[in-house]
């Protein structure tokens, strides 16, 4: 547990949360300021700041919980779709530094936008630049 982390405090039961799923590793609860009805957050119980800091087995448990919960959340609020995403780091808009996946149920004409609308100015990358990025990402995994 990390002192002052609001999600760790929810895990500890020190502040209330509307829990929709719980096991030894993962907790899922309703977002307190929902973007749509059913907006759900899925977190590891242990404090890890970003996906990058999260052990692979724990990240796998978070992903499998998202996989289980997406259809349940959509069915519960009668949503035909959902946006499932992580704000991974402060510059990406992460406000609570305890890794969490969002399930945001989506509805026809809900006024929301797709992930493609994240940025207004897309970079105009050349083929050479794309090739270099491709090989750099492959090299980082070696
Ligand atoms: P992010 O910007 O990805 O870090 O999202 C943080 C999310 O946590 C926001 O959608 C908040 O509405 C939500 N949130 C913050 N405090 C609480 C809380 N006590 N219980 C439930 N959700 C919360
Ligand atoms: Zn935490």
């Amino acid at each position: 547990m990390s002192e002052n982390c609001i999600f760790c405090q929810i895990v500890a039961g020190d502040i209330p949360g509307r829990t929709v799923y719980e096991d030894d590793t993962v907790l899922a609860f309703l977002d307190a300021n929902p973007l749509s009805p059913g907006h759900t957050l899925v977190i590891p119980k242990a404090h890890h700041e970003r996906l990058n800091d999260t052990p692979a087995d724990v990240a796998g448990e978070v992903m499998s919980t998202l996989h289980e919960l997406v259809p349940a959340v959509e069915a519960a609020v009668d949503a035909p779709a959902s946006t499932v995403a992580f704000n991974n780091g402060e510059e990406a808009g992460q406000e609570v530094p305890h890794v969490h996946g969002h399930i945001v149920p989506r509805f026809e004409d809900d006024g929301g936008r797709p992930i493609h609308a994240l940025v207004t100015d897309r970079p105009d990358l050349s083929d050479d630049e794309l090739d270099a990025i491709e090989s750099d990402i492959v090299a980082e995994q070696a």
Side-chain angles (χ1 to χ4, degrees):
M1 169 158 183
S2 173
E3 298 289 327
N4 303 325
C5 172
I6 198 155
F7 288 174
C8 283
Q9 289 169 31
I10 291 174
V11 171
D14 293 341
I15 62 171
R18 289 190 171 85
T19 299
V20 298
Y21 175 80
E22 179 171 17
D23 63 27
D24 288 347
T25 311
V26 173
L27 182 69
F29 52 92
L30 295 185
D31 195 293
N33 188 20
L35 295 173
S36 68
H39 184 171
T40 296
L41 302 175
V42 178
I43 70 169
K45 286 186 167 176
H47 183 85
H48 305 290
E49 206 164 309
R50 302 176 49 185
L51 269 179
N52 315 38
D53 312 310
T54 306
D57 58 335
V58 175
E61 299 272 348
V62 169
M63 187 62 214
S64 73
T65 302
L66 285 165
H67 181 253
E68 288 281 329
L69 275 180
V70 162
V73 170
E74 288 183 3
V77 297
D78 205 17
S82 52
T83 298
V84 181
F86 291 77
N87 291 322
N88 191 42
E90 197 175 340
E91 295 79 0
Q94 184 177 357
E95 291 175 358
V96 177
H98 180 135
V99 64
H100 51 282
H102 292 255
I103 303 171
V104 183
R106 300 296 302 271
F107 302 87
E108 197 176 348
D109 300 326
D110 64 6
R113 294 186 291 171
I115 282 180
H116 307 89
L118 274 180
V119 295
T120 47
D121 293 325
R122 292 184 188 221
D124 187 16
L125 298 169
S126 68
D127 282 347
D128 282 349
E129 288 170 315
L130 290 168
D131 288 346
I133 292 167
E134 177 190 17
S135 55
D136 286 349
I137 293 171
V138 171
E140 286 291 342
Q141 300 167 73

